[in-house]
Amino acid sequence: MNSQIIQLLVLAAIAVFLILRLRGILGTRDGFEPPPEQQEQVQRRFEVIENDKAPAEPEYDDIADHADPQSPAYAALAEMKSREPSFDIGDFLGGAKMAYEMILMAFEKGDLSEVRDFLAPEVAEAFDNVIEQRQQAGHTVEARYLGTHETGLAGASFDPETAEGEVSVRFVGELIAATRDADGKVIDGDLKSARKQRDTWTFARVMGSNDPNWRLVATGV
């Protein structure tokens, strides 16, 4: 057998091997691909799915992050949001936290001028009376705020007739404060150690009004 015949047999064997190899990897049409008319139907079904709009995701419920959906507070907050869709309880609590620090320190230092717009008249009057009593007694307060460790929703209510919403917030702050008498002697507090300050404050606002400010209408522990 000459060399040319041997070369042809080798090439033929390689070709058969490659064909079998490709069929093993890719498969064959028989038994795997549908006939042309079924392929067209499948293609049409894919086109319908691709052109169909994805279902809209449900709107995020920010109130549920802070109140039990079965609670009166949740219902009140939902009413507030219906009157003012931009109302966000998370943003409100963030603002309440800043207001708490500002108002608390203004009260401790005896100067409400910068926070009076955030106080209801009866609250401002009560704070003024305490500050006046200190001044008459010759007492002064030194205070330094260290931070708010807790801010949480304590309750909420809504009056549908007036559209006024009230939100109570629980705060736990930490500060260093001491009261000195007229002679400069510390008679209350300690300037060397911090103390916890726990309060529950209630803020109110007419929902949907042009005035964006919430006002402090009640204080408690």
Side-chain angles (χ1 to χ4, degrees):
M1 185 179 295
N2 59 39
S3 60
Q4 291 182 346
I5 294 175
I6 294 174
Q7 290 178 357
L8 289 173
L9 291 174
V10 172
L11 291 174
I14 293 174
V16 171
F17 174 80
L18 291 176
I19 291 172
L20 293 175
R21 182 68 173 169
L22 289 172
R23 289 184 65 181
I25 295 174
L26 302 177
T28 62
R29 181 188 179 99
D30 296 337
F32 292 90
E33 294 185 7
E37 61 272 14
Q38 292 185 14
Q39 289 188 16
E40 184 177 354
Q41 293 176 2
V42 172
Q43 184 177 3
R44 285 200 299 269
R45 287 200 297 269
F46 278 132
E47 289 175 353
V48 170
I49 293 174
E50 290 174 356
N51 292 332
D52 194 16
K53 293 182 179 179
E57 293 185 1
E59 184 178 355
Y60 176 68
D61 185 0
D62 65 297
I63 301 175
D65 288 343
H66 306 276
D68 183 344
Q70 305 301 321
S71 67
Y74 181 96
L77 293 168
E79 287 285 345
M80 294 183 206
K81 199 173 184 69
S82 70
R83 295 293 183 100
E84 189 172 316
S86 61
F87 172 61
D88 183 280
I89 185 63
D91 291 341
F92 166 81
L93 291 174
K97 177 181 177 180
M98 291 188 290
Y100 175 70
E101 177 180 348
M102 290 174 57
I103 295 171
L104 179 63
M105 293 309 294
F107 171 72
E108 293 288 354
K109 295 178 179 180
D111 183 3
L112 302 179
S113 58
E114 294 185 359
V115 300
R116 195 170 292 276
D117 289 342
F118 304 110
L119 306 176
E122 58 272 20
V123 173
E125 181 179 1
F127 284 2
D128 283 334
N129 288 338
V130 174
I131 292 171
E132 184 177 357
Q133 290 174 8
R134 288 181 195 159
Q135 293 174 345
Q136 290 178 351
H139 295 170
T140 57
V141 176
E142 294 182 34
R144 180 162 60 92
Y145 197 72
L146 302 179
T148 305
H149 299 301
E150 182 180 338
T151 304
L153 180 71
S157 63
F158 181 74
D159 186 340
E161 294 185 0
T162 62
E164 183 175 69
E166 291 191 358
V167 183
S168 297
V169 185
R170 180 181 59 257
F171 300 102
V172 177
E174 187 173 10
L175 71 158
I176 294 175
T179 302
R180 295 182 183 275
D181 62 14
D183 297 326
K185 181 182 178 181
V186 174
I187 57 174
D188 185 38
D190 187 350
L191 291 175
K192 295 182 180 180
S193 62
R195 64 179 172 86
K196 291 286 181 65
Q197 178 80 20
R198 292 178 172 85
D199 293 293
T200 298
W201 286 8
T202 300
F203 300 86
R205 178 174 173 268
V206 175
M207 306 307 295
S209 68
N210 293 327
D211 185 356
N213 290 331
W214 290 78
R215 287 177 172 79
L216 179 62
V217 297
T219 62
V221 179

